[in-house]
Each structure stands twice: as structure tokens, then as C-alpha cells.
Amino acid sequence: MGGADHVGNAEMKITRPFRISAPPREWFRGPAPVLLLALSLPLTGHTAQGLGGIQKGFKAAQFFGPPRDTQMQSLLQAERVQPVSERVFLLTGLTLQTFRETGDPELLIKAPQCLYDADAKSASSPGALRVTTADGKFSIEGEGFFLRQTNSSLVISNRVLTLIDPELLNSPEAKGRAQTPKPGSPGIEIRADRFEYTGQTGGGLYERNVRVAGTNDVSLTSDRLAFQLPFKERQLQALQAQGNVVADRGGVHATGQSAVYSPDTGLIRLTGDPAWRSELREGRGDLLIIDRTNRVFRAEGNAWVRMPAQGLSLSALLSSSNSVAAPASKATNQFVEIASGYHEFRTNQAVFGEHVALSERMGNQPRGTLTCGLMNVTYTGSNQLDTLVAQQEVVLREGTNRLSGGKAVFTGRDGVLQLTESPAWSSGQRSGTGELIRVDTRTNEMLVQGKALMRLPASELAQAADPRAVPGAASPAANAAVQWAEVRSAEYTLSPQQAQFRGGVEVTHPKMNWSSGTLTVQLPASGGQVESIVAERSVVFDLLDDKGQKVRGTGDQVVYTYEVTGTTTNDQVVLIGAPAVLEGKDGTTRNKTIVLDRANHKLITRGDYQITSQIKGLGTNALVLPNSKLRK
């Protein structure tokens, strides 16, 4: 028996001799207490002749050494002992109990039948084996086993089942940080086709069809499951699953080629092309880390995740534009993909860091992007977006629209996006800056505050700036150099229907300078000609006439209206003041109200008297102020 590699279905592991001078003194905190099988069985030293043939109701005790030589260390009982040869015995109904020095029971080993080789100090059987601790926190059983005492090795060949109390997986340090398992909570269950353990190296291995199920809805399958349990420390140091690893916990499905569990930290590390999936979310990285205690899931290195937009729509964030916003999409295939150096998911929270690049997609079509250095997302209990905070060179893009700043905060409950730290926006050739940009995605409105600036091509203001403009005039050549106009104010608001500038409004144009307290532009629903412009409070404008000479207007209010009814066009500029003044080379006009009838090329004043004069060169498109739409 001692030189055989197999006994029935049992396998024998041959390793270097290692003699244990004394058995363990206390139970260890680990999932494989087979070290205690290294006890010197009481049959050591007996011979078949010494036993006197078949023995029934056999008992043999072993005691600790001095000064506790009266304290029982182990008790071997067998229903029957039958000599097979001079030093080999067949034991039937085997029960082996071990005890601590205090006398408390420690371990119980049972086998219906086994062969014991006194010379090889080994026991083997094709039958069943069951090992349990006295406190019931650990048990292992299977069919077909081989035990060698000299190096504390054990092999179980078939139908291995291990049950572990969750407390045994945590080190004392980890226990201090972890939540205490609830009384009666299910433990860890490990099933495999084969198991082996060597006390000499402290290494154990489950092989073939390994299945682990445990507390907190944790389950794991793999080709192999190795663990390290040093004999001296008697403290589990690591568990490593290898080959086709699949881990499931709390609705998260993770795969990889290797998974390492560290009891001192409570972390599971998954490598080998690891990937994960949870409902409609999926992701990957070079390394996946699962903190089973604190419910933290982290991917490091080339991290990527795809998930439903869940209230975050980049097109909505950029929808305060120069066109009417399209209705919000209710499609279920609206997703965001996020690439980053790492991502970390906690309960109702996700963090993305290092070169974050978010892309919104409708089906397979890209809609918008967000890039930044760090992004923190929180969710409500219904898994809807609550807040999004992006920092470090934040840039949002959708078509030709762009928002940027050092920090962006989006609040899902009110649909508001705020950008600070040198925020800016652009749409086509139009752009703007301020100290704060606030986008209300529900009203489709953008507010720019603090040293607010809007910059746009001068041609978009040319009809307001140049009194020589006439209906049907040719547009500038396509290759002409672009000239720029700027509008400065304390703040301004842009929406599809209106542009409103407030506080120290200043318009700078190659052919016009304009200042007022406020400036409001009403826009048509479908684009085209501006319908209404109102400038109020200390209005001053300087224009160049058709001869290149300056014309100045001052007043309390300037109102421009444009309307087409049938074949009639109403195109008027009304200057109101106390009095309103219009100055030019040909003279000065003063009155409470001065009307420029642009459709009919007339200047009209009203009062006790009326003056009508022909104003040459005034076009019907004069005083068209900047279009406020951000969308192309």
C-alpha cells in the first residue's frame, strides 16, 4: 500500500518527508482544517500479531506530553480492525476525535472504512471521508481519499464538498472592518471533483468543475481553486481561482482567467481579460477588483463601461441652441459608453478617472461626447441619474456645439448643467465666455453670467450696423476674410425664442458701436428674419452712413419690429427718449419719438408737427441683431 499511487478511487500525493513533532494546539481560521489529519494515529507501532487478529470495538487514545501527559490529545475508535499484513490494517467504522490542551473537542474525522499502513504512515480508501470541526464552522467530505502523515497531505478524489462559516474567511484585521455576519446566515460552499492539501507547503487545491457559493449572493466557478494556509500561522492568506473564472454577486456577472481573494483586505482581484455585466450595464478593464464587504466594484487599466443614459443626454445638455429643440427621445436604445483609466461603482455611485471620454449613442449612431479628467456620478434609488460632476478640462460636444470649463455639475432632479472655472460655449462660428454658464435642459435655455461675452461673425450684425444695406444685396464672397462682432454684458440668456443681454450691454462691430442697459431679441420659431429687438436704458449707437459718415442715435429705448402680412411688410425702428436724438452730417433730429420706416425708406417724427424726409440707402434688413440659437 505504501508505494501504490492509487487505492480504489483514491490518489496518493508523494512529497518530501516532513515529520511533525507535535500536533496543532488550537483550531485555525481557515477553510481547510485538514492539517489536523497529521496527528500520529494510535495504531503506529502496532503489528498484526500485536493486535491478536481481528479486533472489534477497538479504541486507542493518545496523550499530550509532559506536563499535560494526562490530557487526551486524540481518540481513535473503530468498529473493527482487521490485519491485512504485518503492518497494514483495515479499519471499519473509523472515528477519530482530537482535543485541545484545555480538553475541549477540536476535530472529528469519520470514514466507513480505510486501510492504514503503519510503515508509510498513510491511510486510504475508495469510500467516503468526512472531517468537521467541533464548533461546526468547517467541514469537508468526499469519496476516495489518501492521507499521508509524514507531510500532512490529503487527497480527496471525488465529489468534494466543503462548508465554511463566513467568519473563517476573514483575518482579525478584516473582521474589524467588515460587517459581522448575521446569526444563521448561510456560509461558503465549495464543490469540486478533486481536492488536495499539503501541510508542508501550506498549499491546497480544488480541481475540476469547481463551484463556490456563499453569503451575499456570491457564486464562483472555475477550473481550479487554490489556497494558501501556512502551517505555522494557521491563517488563510489567499484564495486563487484559475481557468474560465465566472463570478456572480448581487446581480454583477464577472468573467476572467484568474481571480485572487485576499482575506486580510476582503478584496477579489480578477485578471485575464476580465469583463463584467449587470442588467443593462457592461464593462471591462485590465484588472477588476470586487470589495465584497463594502460593495465596491472597480476596474483599472483601459477601463470601459456601457450603460443606459438614465436621464443623462449630452444632446439635451447642449440643446439650448440656435434652433428649436427636438423632443426628448424616449428610445430605450440610448446608451453612454465611457472609457477611462479606471472606474469604480458603489451603491448608487460611480467614479471615473484618468482621461475620461464619454460618448452618447442612439443605437449605433454617436450623438455627443464629454471628456474630462475626473467624473463622479450618483443615482437615486430608482437607478436614475441624480448628479454628475465632471472636473479637469471638461469639454462637451454635440455636432458643432461645444461647452467647456474646469468643472461641470449636472443635477438630474431639475435638469440643470452648470459650468465654472473659465467656462465657454461655441456653436458653429458663434462663441461665448463668462464666469458661469448655466444650461436648463427642461426649458432649453442657457444663462451666461459674469463678464459675459458673445462673439459672432460681423456679417450676422451687418444689417443692423450698416445703414447702406438694401434688400436683396449680395452676400459677402465665400472666400472673404471673416470679420467679427462682440456683445459684452453682465449676463445674457439664450433660448430658441429669445436672446436677452442685461447689464452694461456693449456691441462692438467694424461698422457700429452700441451700448444700452438691456438688449432683447425675439426670434422666429422657424428661423429667418428677426421679429423684434428692444434696447432699453441709456441707449447709444454710432453707425456709418452710406457715405462712410457717422450717425449717432441716443434715447431711452429703441424698438425694432418686422412683420409680413399678406403683401404688406412692416419694418420699423422706433427711437424713444426725452428727447430721442438722431445726429448726422445733414443735421440733428430731436423728438420724443423718431420712427425709421425702413420698408418705405422714411424718417418720421410725431408731435405737434410732423416731418417726413426721404432717407436714401436704408435697407429693409437694417438693425438685425445677433441670432441667439446655439444649434447649427
Side-chain angles (χ1 to χ4, degrees), residues 382-429:
S382 59
N383 212 26
Q384 290 296 311
L385 179 70
D386 183 31
T387 62
L388 181 150
V389 179
Q391 300 178 76
Q392 303 172 14
E393 299 181 358
V394 183
V395 178
L396 296 94
R397 292 185 177 90
E398 191 256 339
T400 63
N401 306 323
R402 185 179 189 272
L403 289 169
S404 64
K407 183 177 182 180
V409 179
F410 176 73
T411 308
R413 59 182 174 271
D414 56 14
V416 171
L417 170 70
Q418 288 198 154
L419 292 102
T420 54
E421 300 177 16
S422 302
W425 66 268
S426 64
S427 178
Q429 290 185 305

Side-chain angles (χ1 to χ4, degrees), residues 500-505 514-520 534-537 539:
Q500 187 176 67
F501 300 84
R502 297 176 294 273
V505 180
W514 181 294
S515 66
S516 61
T518 63
L519 183 66
T520 303
V534 179
E536 297 180 290
R537 293 169 33 209
V539 181

Side-chain angles (χ1 to χ4, degrees), residues 232-492:
K232 292 182 179 181
E233 290 82 0
R234 301 171 191 169
Q235 173 62 59
L236 182 67
Q237 292 184 354
L239 281 170
Q240 182 171 6
Q242 297 176 322
N244 301 311
V245 179
V246 177
D248 291 282
R249 179 193 179 280
V252 177
H253 178 82
T255 61
Q257 291 302 311
S258 179
V260 177
Y261 168 68
S262 302
D264 57 339
T265 62
L267 300 181
I268 299 173
R269 297 174 178 266
L270 196 62
T271 55
D273 297 322
W276 63 271
R277 184 177 69 253
S278 178
E279 296 179 341
L280 295 178
R281 299 179 183 180
E282 60 179 316
R284 60 177 180 263
D286 296 335
L287 168 67
L288 302 184
I289 302 174
I290 302 174
D291 185 339
R292 66 184 185 88
T293 300
N294 300 306
R295 299 184 178 182
V296 177
F297 185 86
R298 181 181 176 94
E300 294 184 352
N302 298 306
W304 175 87
V305 63
R306 183 176 188 265
M307 59 186 180
Q310 293 173 295
L312 171 61
S313 171
L314 295 181
S315 56
L317 297 184
L318 293 165
S319 64
S320 180
S321 64
N322 283 341
S323 64
V324 178
S329 173
K330 296 183 179 179
T332 58
N333 62 341
Q334 188 173 353
F335 286 84
V336 293
E337 296 181 0
I338 306 173
S340 57
Y342 68 87
H343 63 243
E344 181 175 292
F345 284 83
R346 296 175 176 264
T347 303
N348 297 329
Q349 183 182 14
V351 178
F352 304 84
E354 298 176 5
H355 308 293
V356 181
L358 182 153
S359 173
E360 180 191 4
R361 308 184 74 85
M362 180 67 73
N364 295 323
Q365 299 300 317
R367 300 188 67 187
T369 63
L370 183 155
T371 59
C372 61
L374 179 66
M375 184 171 69
N376 191 313
V377 182
T378 63
Y379 297 91
T380 63
S382 59
N383 212 26
Q384 290 296 311
L385 179 70
D386 183 31
T387 62
L388 181 150
V389 179
Q391 300 178 76
Q392 303 172 14
E393 299 181 358
V394 183
V395 178
L396 296 94
R397 292 185 177 90
E398 191 256 339
T400 63
N401 306 323
R402 185 179 189 272
L403 289 169
S404 64
K407 183 177 182 180
V409 179
F410 176 73
T411 308
R413 59 182 174 271
D414 56 14
V416 171
L417 170 70
Q418 288 198 154
L419 292 102
T420 54
E421 300 177 16
S422 302
W425 66 268
S426 64
S427 178
Q429 290 185 305
R430 305 183 187 100
S431 61
T433 59
E435 296 175 344
L436 168 69
I437 295 178
R438 183 180 186 272
V439 179
D440 189 328
T441 63
R442 297 182 181 180
T443 61
N444 200 23
E445 184 175 87
M446 183 172 76
L447 169 68
V448 181
Q449 286 183 322
K451 299 179 181 179
L453 167 68
M454 180 175 178
R455 188 171 186 262
L456 67 165
S459 59
E460 297 188 18
L461 283 174
Q463 294 167 338
D466 190 351
R468 297 169 296 179
V470 295
S475 301
N479 58 356
V482 177
Q483 291 183 303
W484 299 97
E486 293 182 348
V487 183
R488 299 176 183 272
S489 59
E491 64 178 31
Y492 58 85

